[in-house]
Amino acid sequence: ADLAVSRDTVTCKDEISDAVLIANDAQLKILSKKELAQPFGLKSFAKELNSFLIKNKEDVKVMGVLNTNEDSFFSGSRFDGAGALLHVKKMIEDGASIIDLGGVSSRPGSVGVSEEEELQRVKPIIDMIEKEKLYEIADFSLDSYSPLCVSYALQRGFNIVNDITALENDEVAKLVAKYNATVVLMHKQGGTKDMQENPHYDNIMLEVDEFFQERIEKAKQFGIKKIVLDVGIGFGKSLKHNLLLIKHHMHFLHFGYPLLVGESRKSMIDMISKSNVEERLSGTLAIHLKAVENGAQILRVHDVKEHIQALKVQKSINEVIV
């Protein structure tokens, strides 16, 4: 590995100097073990180094998407009634270990609805899932920031809250803590109505990092222990912002929490290769497999079976011995 420091570090001219550590995964493993035996506070530094290592690459979870609203951007994810229940079962059969249910679209330009309207959309499916005890064979997530809907779902077997506002509402934080649920903290810039109107960052990596620090601290203050981080691809980001976040996704491993990526069939793919939403599966797979290489442990997808197959192939390639 290499460590780059300022030119006067060797002469001790400066008491403190910034440094850039350049190392691959294997080198970080060796270095973190060595530092555990060193004084000068390097034991805690070793733990921080270890947090950057990609762990459990083979244990990537697929989160299948189920929408009950008519305005979600991909019609293939919209179901209601008995059809919704069959689709849930099919996604689990295809290999999804998490099902993410949503009743309100969060696509760019979308307008929210009342809590009561949202609950009416998701309640029938939540009730069917509870009645058939499907929560015993898969984890269930509610894509919502409504305390009314979150409370209803957590009382009926759901154990994940996928909150695109990252606990903006204290009542949601209280509910997650009360039921010892997992929360997905997603970064976004602006509201869904206008978030894609010229998004700007001075340094997107630092700004997303600072956002996560703040929201993780808030979650801990409420007693929340189980956290997942989502950089929010397509939520107040340009194409370049999205590409940078995927390329440097490994950076966010330093928080020590699982990373989720949800780029399934989004318009980012259309910006790279002109296509309508029905034609974006191959682009989705390319992005998601790269995200897994860079530390993603949960993929939020519309096409479960295809992702399970792609992940199995990727795993076999990675495990082959020369």
Side-chain angles (χ1 to χ4, degrees):
D2 287 308
L3 188 73
V5 297
S6 62
R7 63 186 301 169
D8 292 320
T9 301
V10 68
T11 64
C12 300
K13 178 180 178 181
D14 299 319
E15 184 177 350
I16 296 173
S17 172
D18 289 334
V20 178
L21 176 63
I22 306 164
N24 60 32
D25 215 44
Q27 290 165 335
L28 284 178
K29 284 180 183 177
I30 295 169
L31 189 57
S32 63
K33 286 181 181 178
K34 285 185 175 182
E35 300 308 319
L36 279 173
Q38 299 298 322
F40 313 117
L42 291 173
K43 288 182 175 64
S44 60
F45 177 61
K47 292 178 182 177
E48 189 169 348
L49 281 179
N50 194 52
S51 72
F52 281 93
L53 298 174
I54 300 178
K55 303 174 183 70
N56 301 321
K57 275 188 179 180
E58 71 283 354
D59 191 27
V60 178
K61 294 182 179 180
V62 171
M63 171 190 274
V65 178
L66 176 70
N67 291 311
T68 63
N69 49 298
E70 289 300 319
D71 59 342
S72 61
F73 78 95
F74 180 46
S75 61
S77 68
R78 302 177 204 152
F79 292 87
D80 57 15
L85 189 64
L86 287 173
H87 188 59
V88 168
K89 291 179 178 178
K90 179 68 166 57
M91 287 193 289
I92 294 172
E93 181 183 323
D94 286 342
S97 51
I98 308 170
I99 305 297
D100 190 44
L101 171 64
V104 179
S105 176
S106 56
R107 62 178 173 77
S110 63
V111 179
V113 299
S114 69
E115 286 189 277
E116 291 74 20
E117 170 63 24
E118 182 182 349
L119 182 59
Q120 287 306 308
R121 293 179 180 184
V122 297
K123 181 178 180 295
I125 299 173
I126 293 173
D127 291 344
M128 286 188 285
I129 290 167
E130 181 190 29
K131 183 179 179 181
E132 299 219 8
K133 296 184 177 180
L134 294 180
Y135 52 78
E136 293 181 353
I137 58 173
D139 290 318
F140 282 85
S141 164
L142 187 69
D143 183 359
S144 177
Y145 48 90
S146 156
L148 181 66
C149 299
V150 167
S151 177
Y152 192 86
L154 293 180
Q155 289 177 50
R156 289 161 178 81
F158 279 57
N159 60 357
I160 302 171
V161 177
N162 188 4
D163 183 358
I164 67 167
T165 73
L167 297 180
E168 194 173 282
N169 191 320
D170 289 356
E171 295 305 311
V172 172
K174 290 175 185 175
L175 286 165
V176 173
K178 177 182 176 181
Y179 288 94
N180 193 29
T182 298
V183 66
V184 179
L185 301 176
M186 193 196 80
H187 174 273
K188 71 179 178 70
Q189 185 183 83
T192 54
K193 190 175 181 181
D194 59 4
M195 63 185 175
Q196 287 305 103
E197 295 178 9
N198 300 314
H200 171 78
Y201 300 85
D202 291 328
N203 185 316
I204 190 165
M205 296 299 295
L206 286 179
E207 290 178 48
V208 173
D209 195 275
E210 288 169 359
F211 175 85
F212 281 151
Q213 287 180 12
E214 175 195 330
R215 295 309 170 96
I216 288 169
E217 184 57 35
K218 178 173 182 177
K220 288 180 176 179
Q221 287 173 358
F222 278 89
I224 296 169
K225 298 178 180 138
K226 293 179 279 189
I227 297 170
V228 173
L229 303 178
D230 178 357
V231 296
I233 300 298
F235 284 82
K237 281 108 180 165
S238 68
L239 174 60
K240 185 177 180 180
H241 295 146
N242 291 328
L243 292 172
L244 283 170
L245 287 168
I246 292 164
K247 186 172 183 177
H248 302 292
H249 199 237
M250 193 182 300
H251 166 80
F252 300 103
L253 287 171
H254 77 88
F255 287 109
Y257 297 109
L259 304 179
L260 179 151
V261 170
E263 172 44 32
S264 188
R265 295 181 178 267
K266 287 185 178 177
S267 59
M268 167 187 171
I269 299 165
D270 181 51
M271 296 177 194
I272 298 170
S273 176
K274 289 298 180 183
S275 57
N276 59 47
V277 68
E278 285 76 20
E279 299 170 331
R280 297 176 192 164
L281 174 58
S282 52
T284 298
L285 290 168
I287 293 169
H288 280 169
L289 290 177
K290 187 63 179 177
V292 169
E293 283 184 11
N294 291 343
Q297 290 156 292
I298 303 172
L299 299 178
R300 184 178 182 273
V301 312
H302 296 100
D303 309 279
V304 172
K305 190 173 185 178
E306 291 81 356
H307 275 81
I308 293 294
Q309 183 184 74
L311 288 168
K312 285 180 178 178
V313 172
Q314 184 188 50
K315 181 181 176 184
S316 294
I317 294 170
N318 290 336
E319 289 181 345
V320 69
I321 298 173
V322 179

